[in-house]
Amino acid sequence: MSFVTVSNLWQRYGTRSILERVNVDIHEGEFISIVGASGCGKSTFLRMLLAQEQPYRGEIRIDGGTPAREPNLERGVVFQKYSVFPHLSVRDNLIAAESFNTPFGRLSRNARKAAGRRADDMLERIGLNHVAHQYPASLSGGMQQRLAIGQAMNAKPRILLLDEPFGALDPGTRLQMHDFLMELRDETNMTVFMVTHDLQEGFKLGDRVLVFDKPRWDPHDPGRYGATITYDFDARDGGIPFQMKEETDVSE
Ligand SMILES: Nc1ncnc2c1ncn2[C@@H]1O[C@H](COP(=O)(O)OP(=O)(O)OP(=O)(O)O)[C@@H](O)[C@H]1O
Ligand SMILES: [Mg+2]
């Protein structure tokens, strides 16, 4: 059964079409890699999955529910740019990510203790236990990104949205984060959408690789048509070529 159902989704900013006729069904627990040229609307698609913005046309349903009007803890996100709280220590950043769950963002003493233990466990896994009491500004870019990933994962979202999460990391750290992400995914069966510019990474981690591109193009008016999913590759066997998605009907 489809868990995330995207039906005839369009997005438009002013007179510019960004996305058009995006249709896709995702099963619970699938890892979806998203690739495509810069500016083609990948982050826009993630923002709509997060319900941070509403589509121009069409809808996204999660688990058959009504389309969400605003973000909630069911969906965790790591943005292209670091998104940690600058005024909280590294450890408190992890605890705060959980406290959004409770009314007024407050945790009881026991809940706070338990959150503290989970934060310590996460600090260990993301390799930041030695800087637990520092503020994000004192960390390197890669360390801040690891914190952002740990923060999103600590809330155990059913859907994790990752917008080029490993772009700023050195190759060794990147591989560590791959392993860490796959472990967490096996433990939680979360559904993951990850935008990446690294095809190899997309195929390594993804069960499917979706390619966003513009199926039609007006050279006199580049903003006239939007992008859509032009390929949907099965990446489970680790191999490359694959079936082409059925030709999208591009007639108005
Ligand atoms: N809030 C907005 N208002 C107007 N235009 C926007 C807005 N957000 C994005 N855009 C435009 O929509 C297009 C798609 O942007 P988006 O950030 O989704 O692309 P992307 O595929 O994520 O690119 P990149 O790979 O560079 O991150 C871009 O041309 C961008 O300038
Ligand atoms: Mg983007």
Side-chain angles (χ1 to χ4, degrees):
M1 209 196 84
S2 176
F3 175 58
V4 179
T5 311
V6 178
S7 314
N8 192 30
L9 194 76
W10 295 61
Q11 189 56 295
R12 203 172 261 230
Y13 297 127
T15 56
R16 286 181 60 211
S17 286
I18 307 298
L19 294 171
E20 59 181 44
R21 293 187 192 84
V22 179
N23 288 291
V24 68
D25 289 334
I26 310 293
H27 290 107
E28 182 150 31
E30 274 191 307
F31 193 122
I32 306 296
S33 298
I34 296 174
V35 300
S38 186
C40 75
K42 304 178 298 296
S43 297
T44 303
F45 182 61
L46 287 197
R47 285 197 301 273
M48 288 194 285
L49 283 169
L50 184 64
Q52 198 178 45
E53 69 181 53
Q54 295 296 316
Y56 171 73
R57 201 187 281 175
E59 60 182 28
I60 298 175
R61 289 181 187 268
I62 311 288
D63 215 3
T66 50
R69 305 305 300 178
E70 54 188 39
N72 59 35
L73 270 189
E74 201 170 58
R75 303 147 213 231
V77 66
V78 178
F79 293 106
Q80 232 164 333
K81 303 234 164 67
Y82 313 129
S83 52
V84 295
F85 303 114
H87 60 292
L88 296 179
S89 72
V90 167
R91 189 171 183 272
D92 284 345
N93 256 284
L94 292 171
I95 294 173
E98 289 194 33
S99 60
F100 295 138
N101 245 332
T102 56
F104 314 112
R106 289 180 201 283
L107 294 176
S108 72
R109 228 184 124 136
N110 280 343
R112 199 172 161 82
K113 264 195 180 154
R117 281 194 296 272
R118 282 192 294 276
D120 291 334
D121 181 44
M122 186 59 77
L123 284 170
E124 182 89 37
R125 298 182 85 160
I126 56 180
L128 295 183
N129 33 4
H130 61 298
V131 291
H133 300 291
Q134 293 184 23
Y135 287 89
S138 70
L139 307 181
S140 71
M143 288 163 100
Q144 289 191 40
Q145 191 64 330
R146 275 188 273 163
L147 175 59
I149 293 164
Q151 201 181 42
M153 287 176 179
N154 223 20
K156 299 258 179 333
R158 287 180 84 188
I159 303 175
L160 181 65
L161 306 168
L162 302 170
D163 200 344
E164 295 179 52
F166 309 127
L169 306 181
D170 64 79
T173 311
R174 191 181 257 244
L175 290 179
Q176 271 173 21
M177 294 307 291
H178 286 176
D179 291 344
F180 168 56
L181 178 57
M182 295 323 259
E183 265 169 46
L184 264 164
R185 185 205 166 200
D186 288 345
E187 283 166 26
T188 60
N189 194 39
M190 58 187 171
T191 306
V192 183
F193 291 85
M194 178 188 73
V195 172
T196 178
H197 279 284
D198 180 343
L199 263 182
Q200 220 183 342
E201 177 177 271
F203 277 100
K204 174 185 167 192
L205 299 180
D207 295 318
R208 290 159 71 182
V209 177
L210 305 182
V211 180
F212 278 72
D213 197 6
K214 290 190 181 191
R216 49 186 183 168
W217 174 256
D218 181 347
H220 305 292
D221 182 7
R224 182 159 174 201
Y225 301 120
T228 191
I229 298 169
T230 52
Y231 291 91
D232 181 350
F233 292 128
D234 185 348
R236 262 167 271 241
D237 56 7
I240 296 205
F242 329 101
Q243 266 170 304
M244 216 168 135
K245 201 177 148 59
E246 275 173 48
E247 278 296 314
T248 342
D249 174 21
V250 292
S251 53
E252 279 287 0

